[in-house]
Amino acid sequence: MPLSVSPSHDPAWLRRWTALLVGAVLLWPLVVWTEFNPLTLADARSLASTWHFVRDFAPPRHDAEFLAMLARETWRTVAIATAGLTLAWLIAVPLALMASTRLSTSALGTPMARGPQALRQAARWLLVVLRSIPELVWALVFVRVVGLGPTAGVLAIAIAYGGMLGKVYAEILDSSDATPTLALLRNGSGRLQALFFGALPQCAPELTSYTLYRWECAIRSSVVLGFVGAGGLGQQLDTATKMFAGAEVGAILLVFVALVALSDRLSAWLRREIA
């Protein structure tokens, strides 16, 4: 027989409803301040213009000339994301090793020496600076330095994602079990030996999963960067949107869904292989 529990029989219902009401009261000024009005979406003119644009998504444009262009720009988008993330990885790994305390031989002493502590703090601040500025801002800067094209997108992703990867890599290493790395360091092993034989066997699946997640994010970011002239599918989406070409927008969006699904499957496969 199914059991029914009325709110009056839940000993925590008063605390939960109180927390919900307090949260709503605290969030309400933020909603008013941002002038958020969901009723705008239900406006008749907004609904009519949205429906007029969205109904053109189907069927997506699929003639040979457009598909050839779509394949070329898809490859360029993947190349921008991959090259940007590769450069970001090259920035992130040394900074993460400097910022992490798990692999530090100086951390074996108490207290930690001032020199290594200052170097570690400098690496952490550099990671903060790199990830604080959005990749869109970096792209606008590099477009003015190197001109329109994929180079600006690659550099923007490399710098912004280098900061993100470095921070998370350091946190993953620091949250791993300290026993293997400490045993190696105390017995005379170097940082790289402690990394390869102590930390990586524990952290490799998590590091791989996060790196692939960032590759997926880099693909999405390359689309946004295309709106400021970094090339790829984003630039084509910007052009199609401005021309109200719904069939082209629908085809481009389908490619994005396919790319994200592909990265998800790749991530799952690599985690299985590494585990």
Side-chain angles (χ1 to χ4, degrees), residues 69-230:
M69 184 277 296
L70 199 58
R72 186 171 60 250
E73 297 302 327
T74 300
W75 176 248
R76 181 173 297 175
T77 296
V78 173
I80 292 172
T82 306
L85 195 70
T86 303
L87 289 178
W89 189 83
L90 293 176
I91 294 171
V93 169
L95 288 176
L97 295 180
M98 290 170 62
S100 171
T101 57
R102 179 66 70 232
L103 304 171
S104 174
T105 53
S106 59
L108 297 175
T110 305
M112 184 184 294
R114 290 185 179 180
Q117 177 67 19
L119 186 62
R120 183 163 297 105
Q121 196 60 40
R124 289 175 178 168
W125 277 111
L126 181 55
L127 290 172
V128 170
V129 172
L130 292 179
R131 69 175 185 274
S132 296
I133 301 173
E135 57 268 30
L136 185 60
V137 177
W138 286 116
L140 289 171
V141 171
F142 285 119
V143 162
R144 280 153 182 79
V145 174
V146 300
L148 296 173
T151 303
V154 170
L155 293 174
I157 291 174
I159 291 180
Y161 280 47
M164 298 176 198
L165 287 175
K167 174 184 182 293
V168 177
Y169 284 174
E171 289 182 351
I172 291 174
L173 291 173
D174 285 343
S175 63
S176 64
D177 183 8
T179 307
T181 51
L182 285 178
L184 288 167
L185 292 172
R186 282 173 177 159
N187 284 284
S189 299
R191 290 169 60 95
L192 288 179
Q193 289 172 307
L195 171 67
F196 286 116
F197 300 106
L200 275 186
Q202 308 173 54
C203 303
E206 195 172 358
L207 291 171
T208 304
S209 177
Y210 183 73
T211 304
L212 284 172
Y213 170 69
R214 274 294 151 200
W215 180 67
E216 176 187 319
C217 294
I219 290 175
R220 291 199 295 268
S221 292
S222 67
V223 176
V224 178
L225 300 182
F227 282 75
V228 296

Side-chain angles (χ1 to χ4, degrees), residues 4-30:
S4 61
V5 180
S6 64
S8 59
H9 292 165
D10 183 1
W13 73 272
L14 181 59
R15 188 169 64 248
R16 292 195 180 106
W17 278 104
T18 303
L20 186 63
L21 288 175
V22 170
V25 169
L26 292 176
L27 286 175
W28 181 250
L30 300 179

